[in-house]
Amino acid sequence: MSLLVVGLSHRSAPVSVLERAALSADAQVKLIQDTVAAEPATEAAVLATCNRIELYADVDKFHAGVAELSTLLAQHSGVGLEELTPYLYVHYEDRAVHHLFSVACGLDSMVVGEGQILGQIKDSLARAQELHTAGKLLNDLFQQALRVGKRAHSETGIDRAGQSLVTFGLEQLAAGGDVQGWAAGRRALVIGAGSMSSLAAATLARAGVAEVVVANRTFERAERLARILTEGDDTDVAARAVPMDAVPGELTRADVVVSCTGATGLVLTAEAVARAVEDRTGRPAEDEGAATGSGAAVAALPPTGLGAEENCPLDLAAVQGSTGFSVAGEAAVAGMDAATLEQHAAWVDNGTLDRRARRTPEADAELITALAATVATVGRIPERRRPEPVPGIPRPAPALFLLDLAMPRDIDAAVHRLAGVRLVDIESLAEASADAPMAADVDQVRRIVSDEVAAFGAAQRAAHITPTVVALRTMAADVVAGEIARLDGRLPDLDERQRGEIRQAVHRVVDKLLHAPTVRVKQLAAEPGGAGYADALRTLFDLDPETVAAVFRAEDSTDEKDRPA
């Protein structure tokens, strides 16, 4: 059996694809179960974070394993296999080990060096153990990955190369300025009470916000997080919990909003954000570059994407005369770069979008149908959520700061175009992190990873031959016991002392004969390409395959008892 990983991340796929492929907790469980039920795999685990989805498995066939794991990822993510395949990466055996160790050290994170990934790897292993889909290989692999990650953080300065996604996101909200100076005295709303939201709430509290309001679908969890913040020794922040239906009102009061929930749909729509900004400022939150006149609020969008009418891939006849493309329509075509389609629809409509105009569901349906048919014909349109700056019109200072750390997104991407609002989401963070400098310590971490991969591979190869060596020694002991019993029958007059001397002599002879070859075969098996030595031993000594398999099962059983809860 061999280790195989198939996945996609912010390095291989655009955020729009990652967002669509995101797996709920239930979907992850079903994916793991279906993977071990498939023929090529005997073990499976899923590592799913806000910027990666990876399926790990112990497989007996490489090509069949890749095909099966890719198909299962497509089925459970809801993204068609043909569309998903160009964004998938595959790692096998030592390369798969190298990949996970790099991930554990933060080398493959959006923010290099961030340590949150260790908790996510730990959760991934715990889930596989609960489902009984992690056998010896995946247990050894993930536990060693955790140790390697901790070693990298303790022995190097990789922490200086990056920080948590939360801290990085807040730095982007502060436009690169000092987060504490920017956050001091502000009111914060945190939507969600999971690990990422809790970290965000604690970070904001330490940064000096005046108040943290926690909203969550399970009110008790929101209360618990608010209580932890209030009782913390390192902050004196005021914290309180509210139910989710109180979010619209709290949005009006908040200066900073962080959202990270497991919702499959939008938590904050563009309309909700626009209303909150208008309630706070008394001014409509228009699309950026908006022009107002004669009491009508009309947003003028500059060219987005293809830039010329004759090159626009939309069916102009189908959308001619439409008055815009609503956010409700955007949600209806989720997964088709809906934000781009909205902009193109508005652009086709003479470049105007009246957000106060209310389209009918029938009109939306017609437009959605035309847009979807066009995308099916010409392919996906690159997403361009933010229009180019309009010359001569300064960008207004934000009245509301939004950080969306959810995947799929919690906050409507159309919010990027609202004046008076600054939105940072996973896609924004990916763009910003691409230019972030990497610390010199990264090279040291890479050396640690390489050394650990070599050591893990050697240990696994040596462990692979151990059951065969144990079976060989067991067979030798059985032969000795049989010969001693035969000798007892032929020489019944021997006393117990004599029998003991003969027994020890025979055992010493067998042990000396087996010692050098078994030690040497373990050394050879630990080297690359040494897997064949186990087969050679079984063939040369005619070992019973079931005896060897029984040793494997016994070792797995012992490992299961020794695993931490």
Side-chain angles (χ1 to χ4, degrees), residues 420-445:
V421 180
R422 179 176 297 162
L423 169 62
V424 172
D425 54 18
I426 294 296
E427 192 157 23
S428 307
L429 293 173
E431 294 169 359
S433 65
D435 299 325
M438 293 169 57
D441 300 271
V442 169
D443 288 337
Q444 186 178 350
V445 174

Side-chain angles (χ1 to χ4, degrees), residues 253-272:
R253 298 180 65 254
D255 302 302
V256 184
V257 180
V258 179
S259 188
C260 186
T261 74
T264 55
L266 294 177
V267 173
L268 294 179
T269 64
E271 282 91 344

Side-chain angles (χ1 to χ4, degrees), residues 19-39:
E19 183 179 34
R20 294 169 55 208
L23 299 171
S24 66
D26 290 342
Q28 292 177 42
V29 170
K30 191 67 168 63
L31 173 58
I32 294 172
Q33 292 172 333
D34 287 354
T35 301
V36 294
E39 183 179 341

Side-chain angles (χ1 to χ4, degrees), residues 464-517:
H464 182 72
I465 203 170
T466 296
T468 303
V469 172
V470 171
L472 173 60
R473 287 189 172 276
T474 301
M475 184 189 74
D478 290 343
V479 170
V480 169
E483 289 301 314
I484 293 296
R486 189 178 69 83
L487 186 64
D488 287 345
R490 295 184 62 182
L491 300 172
D493 297 332
L494 291 176
D495 59 32
E496 191 58 35
R497 185 187 64 80
Q498 292 171 325
R499 293 179 191 280
E501 288 290 341
I502 294 173
R503 187 180 299 110
Q504 288 182 9
V506 175
H507 276 294
R508 281 196 296 269
V509 170
V510 172
D511 287 342
K512 287 182 178 180
L513 287 174
L514 290 181
H515 176 73

Side-chain angles (χ1 to χ4, degrees), residues 217-522:
R217 296 190 186 281
T218 305
F219 183 67
E220 290 74 15
R221 294 189 66 185
E223 281 188 314
R224 179 176 179 273
L225 177 54
R227 186 169 58 254
I228 292 173
L229 294 172
T230 303
E231 297 173 355
D233 296 331
D234 55 346
T235 68
D236 57 357
V237 69
R240 58 188 174 88
V242 298
M244 284 295 287
D245 57 13
V247 165
E250 296 296 338
L251 194 62
T252 301
R253 298 180 65 254
D255 302 302
V256 184
V257 180
V258 179
S259 188
C260 186
T261 74
T264 55
L266 294 177
V267 173
L268 294 179
T269 64
E271 282 91 344
V273 175
R275 282 195 298 270
V277 173
E278 185 171 353
D279 289 343
R280 291 190 55 158
T281 64
R283 301 186 308 274
E286 304 295 350
D287 278 329
E288 227 176 294
T292 58
S294 65
V298 179
L301 293 178
T304 58
L306 302 182
E309 185 172 307
E310 60 267 26
N311 292 325
C312 181
L314 299 179
D315 182 353
L316 297 181
V319 297
Q320 200 67 41
S322 66
T323 59
F325 188 50
S326 73
V327 176
E330 214 174 311
V333 291
M336 297 184 183
D337 285 330
T340 300
L341 294 180
E342 177 189 1
Q343 286 186 296
H344 276 284
W347 172 41
V348 170
D349 186 31
N350 299 318
T352 62
L353 176 60
D354 186 351
R355 284 210 174 270
R356 298 190 182 278
R358 288 292 178 260
R359 293 174 50 80
T360 65
E362 292 78 11
D364 268 341
E366 292 178 3
L367 185 54
I368 292 166
T369 301
L371 295 174
T374 302
V375 172
T377 302
V378 302
R380 296 172 60 80
I381 303 172
E383 186 173 4
R384 294 290 299 277
R385 300 162 303 153
R386 284 164 285 184
E388 297 297 325
V390 178
I393 301 180
R395 180 186 179 95
L400 182 61
F401 297 84
L402 300 155
L403 176 58
D404 184 1
L405 297 174
M407 183 64 72
R409 73 185 75 196
D410 279 347
I411 302 175
D412 191 343
V415 169
H416 276 290
R417 300 196 305 275
L418 293 179
V421 180
R422 179 176 297 162
L423 169 62
V424 172
D425 54 18
I426 294 296
E427 192 157 23
S428 307
L429 293 173
E431 294 169 359
S433 65
D435 299 325
M438 293 169 57
D441 300 271
V442 169
D443 288 337
Q444 186 178 350
V445 174
R446 286 177 175 149
R447 289 192 292 272
I448 288 175
V449 168
S450 296
D451 291 344
E452 291 284 357
V453 169
F456 182 82
Q460 288 294 306
R461 288 187 290 270
H464 182 72
I465 203 170
T466 296
T468 303
V469 172
V470 171
L472 173 60
R473 287 189 172 276
T474 301
M475 184 189 74
D478 290 343
V479 170
V480 169
E483 289 301 314
I484 293 296
R486 189 178 69 83
L487 186 64
D488 287 345
R490 295 184 62 182
L491 300 172
D493 297 332
L494 291 176
D495 59 32
E496 191 58 35
R497 185 187 64 80
Q498 292 171 325
R499 293 179 191 280
E501 288 290 341
I502 294 173
R503 187 180 299 110
Q504 288 182 9
V506 175
H507 276 294
R508 281 196 296 269
V509 170
V510 172
D511 287 342
K512 287 182 178 180
L513 287 174
L514 290 181
H515 176 73
T518 54
V519 169
R520 183 58 180 150
V521 80
K522 285 183 178 181

Side-chain angles (χ1 to χ4, degrees), residues 100-115:
L100 182 59
F101 287 4
S102 298
V103 169
C105 293
L107 293 180
D108 199 58
S109 295
M110 187 178 292
V111 181
V112 174
E114 60 94 10

